[in-house]
Amino acid sequence: MAAELGHLAQGAATILCLLIFLVAPFDSRAQARISDEMSSSLVALQQLRYLDLSSNYFNGASIPVSVGSLENLRYLNLSMSGFVGKIPSQLGNLSNLKYLDVAGGTNDLHALDLAWLSHLSLLSYVDLSGVNLLTVRDWFHMPEGALHLSHCEWHGPIPEQLANMTSLEVIDFRANDLVGLIPSNLQNLCSLKVLNFDDNNIDLSIGEFMDRLPWCSWSTLQKLSMQNTTMTGNLPLEVGALGNLTLLSLGNNRLDGVLVKEHFSGLLNLEYLDLWDNSLKMDIEQNWVPPFRLKHINLESCTVGPRFPEWLRWQTRIDYLLLGNTSLDDVIPDWFWVTFSQASALDASENMLHGSLPSNLQHMATISIGLESNNLTGLVPRLFPINITSLDLSSNSFSGSLPAELKAPQIFMLSLGDNKITGTIPSSMCQLTSLARLDLSRNRLTGDVVQCWKESNHSSSVSRANSAHQFGSRMYSIDLNNNGLSGEFPKFLLSASRLMFLDLSYNRFFGTLPKWLPEKMPELEILSVRSNMFSGCIPKNHTCLEKLYYLDMAQNNISGNIPWSLSNLKAMRVIYKNVTDYVYEDSMLVITKGQTRDYTFEAFSLVVNLDLSCNSLTGHIPEEISLLIGLTSLDLSSNQLTSNIPNKIGDLKQLQSLDLSNNKFSGEIPLGLSALTYLSYLNLSYNILSGPIPSGPQLQTLDNQIDIYIGNPGLCGHPLSNNCSTSTNGEQSVHHEDEDHIVYLYLGMSIGFGVGLWTVFCTMLLRRTWAIAYFQIIDKLYDEVYVRVAITWAGLMKKAHNDAT
C-alpha cells in the first residue's frame, strides 16, 4: 500500500511539474529543450488514461515520441498546440486509444503514412484536420467511427477504400480538393450520420451525387453538408425522404430549378436549412404548414418572393433568418415581429420591401437586424431591441428626425445612411459608448456634431480617466458624409484612438484641421474632409499618420505649400499594403479619373489616393512626392501651384490617375510620364506648359487626347495642331523671326543713315575737298547696301508669295 501511494505521489508530482511547464513562457531558443523535457516528464506517467494538451503553445516543438509509450491512454488531444513536424508513428502503440485529435489548422504537422492507425483497433474518433496528408497513400487503414480529415491538402477522387469502413458514422472531408462522385461501392455504409464535403470541387450534378449515397443510410443520415462544391442541377425530390435529417446545407453552388413542398415534406426533424447563393426558386403555397420547426434558415440570393412567405409564420423557434436578395416585394407582415421576437439575427436586405416599421422594437431579443437596401418609409423606430448589437437600415427612405432617446447600450454597429433623415444628432448618441461603426451619411442632418467630449469633461474624474468608456473610444469607422453638418472638427474624436475610417466630406465644417490627429488617431487609414470650409495650412505632423493610405482634402480653403514631409506617409510608400480585416463600409464614393465612382470595399482596398485639389495651395510640388510609390491616384488640380512638374513624378509607377490641371505649372512636360504604364487618366490642361508633348505608347492610348493638354499655348506636337515633331519646322519658325528682325534693323539703319548723311552734307558745303572725299566713300557704301537690301527684299517677297499659296 505504501508503495502504491508512493507511485501515486510520484505521478502527481510529475503531472504538477508538467502543468507548470505547459504554462511557462517559451522562447525560440528553447524549442529543442521543450521536446526533451516533455518526453522525460511523460515517460513517468505510465498509468495515464486521459491526456489533453490542446490549445497550448509549444512554440514549434515536435510531438514527443514518448507519448507512444503511454499504453493505457484512452483519450489523447494534442490539437491546436503549436506542434510542427511529423506525427510520430509510435502513436500506433497506443492500443487502448479510443479518441485521437491532433488537428493543427495550419498544415505545420504532416504525416508520411498512416499505416500505424491500423493498430488502434479500439479507435472510434480520429481528427487529423489541418494535418498535411498530401503524400499519404495508405489512409484506408483509418479506423471506423468518426473520421475528420478536413483541411488536409488532399487532391483527386474520393477514395474507394471508404467502402471497407462499414461502421463509419462521420465522414468530414471539408476544405480539400476532392473531385467527382463518391464511390459506387458504399452500399454497406449503413451507419452514416454525418457527411460533410464542404469546400471541395465535386463539380457534378447533385442528383448523381445523391444516387451514390447508400440507401441503407437514408434513415440514419442526420447532417448532409456540401457547401461550395460547384454542384449543379436540380435538387432531387428524394431529399424529402431523409427522415432523420436535421441539417441540409447546399449553399454557394450552381443549383437551379424550382423547390416545392415535396422537397421538404418528409424532413420532420429538420432544424438547419442553408440554400444560399443558388438559382433556386421556391414555389410553395402560402397556406402550407411545414412539418419541421427550423432554428436556422438561409435562403439568400434564392427567389422567394414577391410575396412574403406565409409558411415562415410557423417557424417560432427561428434563431437565424436570412432572406437577403430574395426578390421580396411586399410589406413586412405584422406577425413577423411576434414570430421572430426571440431570433438572434434577422436579415431581409436587398429586396423591395415597403411600408414602415413598428415604432417600438424593445420587446425583441434580436441582436442583429439587417433591412438595408429596401424601400421602407416612415420613421426610424423610437425604441430599439434592448440587446441589439447591429442595426442596419441604410439605403431606404426613412424620414423625420432621429430618436431623441437612443437606448442601446450594447450596440456595436449603427447604419442609417442613405435615407432622408432630418434634424440634428441627439445628445443621447453620447450614451452609445460601445459603438464601433457609425454611418449617418447621405441624409439631411444639420447643426453641430454632438460634442460628447465636452460632456465627459464635466463628468467625474473617474470617467475622465477611464477613456475606454467614452463615446468614440471603440470606434473604427465613422461616416457622416453628404449632410449639412457644421461646426469645427468634432472634438469627440479626441477619444477615438482605434479609428481607421473617417469621412466628413460634403458638409459645412470649418476652422483649421487639428494637429492632434496623429497622436489621438494613430490607426487612421482613410481620411476624407472633401467639400467643407476648412482653412489654414496642411498640418505638417499629419505626415506622421503612418497607416494613412487614402487622404482627400479637396474643395476646401486650404492654403500654404504642400509639405515635403508628405513623403513620410509610410502606407503610401509601399505598393502592397496590409489592409485591415475590418470592413469599414459596404462601398465608398471615390473621385478619380475625372469621375465619381462607387467602389466596393474589396476594390477600394486597392486604391492609394492623395487628393488636394480645389484649394488655394501655392509653391511647387516637392520632389519628395515621388517617394509615394504606392499612389494609384494623385490630384493637385485647381490650385495656384507654380514652377516645373518634377521630373521624378515618373517614379510613381502605380499611378492610374494624375490630374495637375488649372494651376500655373511652367516648363516642359517630364518625359517620365510616358513610362507610367498603368496610367489611364491624365489632365495637364490650363497651365503654362511649353515645349513638345512626350511620346509614348501609354500616353497615346488615353481618351480625350486634346483635352489633356488644352489651355497650354506653348505646347506642341501630337495630338495638338501645333506641330513640333520635326526640327525643320522649328528652324523655319526661328528663321522667320530672325528675318523680321533683320528687316527692322535695316529700316532703322536706313533712317539713321539718311539723317547722318544730311548732317554731313551740310558740313561739306563749307569745305570742297572734304566733300569730294566724303562722296567717294558714300558712293561705295551705297552700292554695297543697295545690293544687300535688294537681295533680302527679294527673298522676303518670295517667301510671302509661297506662304500665300
Side-chain angles (χ1 to χ4, degrees), residues 731-778:
E731 290 175 359
Q732 288 177 346
S733 176
V734 173
H735 182 61
H736 186 273
E737 187 177 6
D738 289 344
E739 287 178 340
D740 289 342
H741 291 167
I742 291 172
V743 171
Y744 289 116
L745 175 63
Y746 285 163
L747 182 60
M749 289 175 61
S750 300
I751 295 173
F753 179 78
V755 173
L757 180 61
W758 178 254
T759 303
V760 174
F761 178 77
C762 294
T763 305
M764 293 300 104
L765 294 176
L766 302 175
R767 299 289 297 269
R768 178 180 175 81
T769 55
W770 289 5
I772 295 172
Y774 179 79
F775 282 112
Q776 288 177 344
I777 296 173
I778 291 303

Side-chain angles (χ1 to χ4, degrees), residues 407-529:
K407 294 181 179 179
Q410 300 179 47
I411 194 163
F412 178 85
M413 190 274 279
L414 177 60
S415 183
L416 302 175
D418 197 13
N419 280 287
K420 301 175 182 178
I421 301 172
T422 58
T424 59
I425 300 176
S427 59
S428 60
M429 182 74 71
C430 299
Q431 301 170 12
L432 307 182
T433 56
S434 295
L435 265 182
R437 176 182 168 191
L438 175 63
D439 184 359
L440 300 176
S441 64
R442 301 180 301 282
N443 277 290
R444 301 170 185 176
L445 297 169
T446 57
D448 196 353
V449 175
V450 60
Q451 298 294 343
C452 300
W453 180 262
K454 291 181 180 178
E455 282 193 14
S456 65
N457 280 346
H458 286 90
S459 58
S460 68
S461 59
V462 175
S463 65
R464 286 200 306 270
N466 192 1
S467 61
H469 295 288
Q470 289 182 353
F471 178 72
S473 60
R474 298 186 181 182
M475 285 189 179
Y476 66 82
S477 174
I478 299 175
D479 194 348
L480 301 176
N481 81 76
N482 278 276
N483 280 287
L485 298 169
S486 58
E488 296 185 339
F489 200 90
K491 287 188 172 60
F492 75 85
L493 294 172
L494 281 161
S495 63
S497 60
R498 302 181 185 181
L499 200 65
M500 292 180 282
F501 178 100
L502 178 60
D503 191 349
L504 304 177
S505 59
Y506 298 101
N507 280 288
R508 299 173 185 171
F509 293 110
F510 55 82
T512 58
L513 295 171
K515 296 180 180 180
W516 43 260
L517 287 187
E519 177 188 356
K520 300 298 183 180
M521 294 190 287
E523 303 296 318
L524 202 60
E525 297 180 354
I526 297 168
L527 173 61
S528 179
V529 294

Side-chain angles (χ1 to χ4, degrees), residues 173-315:
F173 288 170
R174 287 171 296 142
N176 286 289
D177 191 19
L178 298 173
V179 182
L181 294 171
I182 58 176
S184 59
N185 59 349
L186 303 185
Q187 61 271 16
N188 294 324
L189 270 64
C190 298
S191 300
L192 274 181
K193 294 181 180 179
V194 177
L195 190 62
N196 192 329
F197 282 93
D198 289 352
D199 301 312
N200 280 282
N201 190 26
I202 305 300
D203 197 21
L204 286 169
S205 164
I206 189 172
E208 293 181 81
F209 189 92
M210 293 191 65
D211 282 344
R212 295 288 185 94
L213 288 177
W215 280 99
C216 58
S217 69
W218 283 52
S219 60
T220 61
L221 199 62
Q222 297 175 6
K223 296 181 180 181
L224 177 61
S225 188
M226 292 183 289
Q227 291 197 70
N228 191 30
T229 54
T230 61
M231 298 281 257
T232 60
N234 298 339
L235 185 66
L237 288 174
E238 288 78 9
V239 73
L242 296 169
N244 282 318
L245 205 63
T246 61
L247 179 147
L248 178 61
S249 181
L250 304 173
N252 195 25
N253 281 291
R254 299 196 297 248
L255 305 179
D256 53 23
V258 178
L259 298 179
V260 294
K261 62 182 180 181
E262 285 76 17
H263 281 101
F264 310 103
S265 57
L267 303 180
L268 306 181
N269 298 309
L270 193 65
E271 296 180 346
Y272 187 111
L273 178 61
D274 195 337
L275 302 174
W276 67 283
D277 202 15
N278 283 286
S279 298
L280 295 168
K281 176 179 174 59
M282 300 200 76
D283 187 12
I284 297 178
E285 297 89 342
Q286 289 290 94
N287 60 356
W288 178 60
V289 179
F292 45 73
R293 293 294 180 265
L294 295 172
K295 293 181 180 179
H296 177 114
I297 182 169
N298 187 349
L299 300 176
E300 288 182 353
S301 299
C302 298
T303 301
V304 177
R307 294 283 304 278
F308 207 96
E310 285 284 334
W311 60 268
L312 286 175
R313 186 171 189 170
W314 311 107
Q315 303 306 306

Side-chain angles (χ1 to χ4, degrees), residues 331-585:
V331 174
I332 300 177
D334 293 338
W335 56 258
F336 179 92
W337 308 105
V338 177
T339 300
F340 304 128
S341 62
Q342 299 304 307
S344 297
L346 299 172
D347 187 340
S349 59
E350 298 183 57
N351 285 290
M352 294 168 282
L353 295 171
H354 45 275
S356 58
L357 301 184
S359 61
N360 186 352
L361 298 177
Q362 202 168 27
H363 68 285
M364 301 190 70
T366 313
I367 61 175
S368 176
I369 295 178
L371 293 172
E372 69 272 19
S373 301
N374 279 286
N375 298 323
L376 297 170
T377 56
L379 301 176
V380 174
R382 294 305 179 199
L383 295 173
F384 297 166
I386 194 63
N387 294 319
I388 193 80
T389 62
S390 175
L391 177 62
D392 194 342
L393 303 179
S394 62
S395 300
N396 280 283
S397 295
F398 290 106
S399 57
S401 58
L402 292 171
E405 293 296 325
L406 290 168
K407 294 181 179 179
Q410 300 179 47
I411 194 163
F412 178 85
M413 190 274 279
L414 177 60
S415 183
L416 302 175
D418 197 13
N419 280 287
K420 301 175 182 178
I421 301 172
T422 58
T424 59
I425 300 176
S427 59
S428 60
M429 182 74 71
C430 299
Q431 301 170 12
L432 307 182
T433 56
S434 295
L435 265 182
R437 176 182 168 191
L438 175 63
D439 184 359
L440 300 176
S441 64
R442 301 180 301 282
N443 277 290
R444 301 170 185 176
L445 297 169
T446 57
D448 196 353
V449 175
V450 60
Q451 298 294 343
C452 300
W453 180 262
K454 291 181 180 178
E455 282 193 14
S456 65
N457 280 346
H458 286 90
S459 58
S460 68
S461 59
V462 175
S463 65
R464 286 200 306 270
N466 192 1
S467 61
H469 295 288
Q470 289 182 353
F471 178 72
S473 60
R474 298 186 181 182
M475 285 189 179
Y476 66 82
S477 174
I478 299 175
D479 194 348
L480 301 176
N481 81 76
N482 278 276
N483 280 287
L485 298 169
S486 58
E488 296 185 339
F489 200 90
K491 287 188 172 60
F492 75 85
L493 294 172
L494 281 161
S495 63
S497 60
R498 302 181 185 181
L499 200 65
M500 292 180 282
F501 178 100
L502 178 60
D503 191 349
L504 304 177
S505 59
Y506 298 101
N507 280 288
R508 299 173 185 171
F509 293 110
F510 55 82
T512 58
L513 295 171
K515 296 180 180 180
W516 43 260
L517 287 187
E519 177 188 356
K520 300 298 183 180
M521 294 190 287
E523 303 296 318
L524 202 60
E525 297 180 354
I526 297 168
L527 173 61
S528 179
V529 294
R530 167 183 285 268
S531 192
N532 280 283
M533 294 182 286
F534 289 114
S535 57
C537 298
I538 300 174
K540 293 182 179 180
N541 67 340
H542 279 197
T543 61
C544 297
L545 290 165
E546 296 186 354
K547 298 185 179 181
L548 193 70
Y549 70 86
Y550 187 97
L551 176 59
D552 188 347
M553 295 183 174
Q555 299 179 11
N556 281 281
N557 298 319
I558 298 172
S559 56
N561 297 332
I562 299 176
W564 67 266
S565 53
L566 279 177
S567 60
N568 292 331
L569 293 169
K570 290 186 178 181
M572 297 186 185
R573 296 182 62 162
V574 294
I575 295 177
Y576 302 105
K577 60 182 181 296
N578 293 322
V579 180
T580 179
D581 291 335
Y582 289 113
V583 176
Y584 314 117
E585 303 293 322

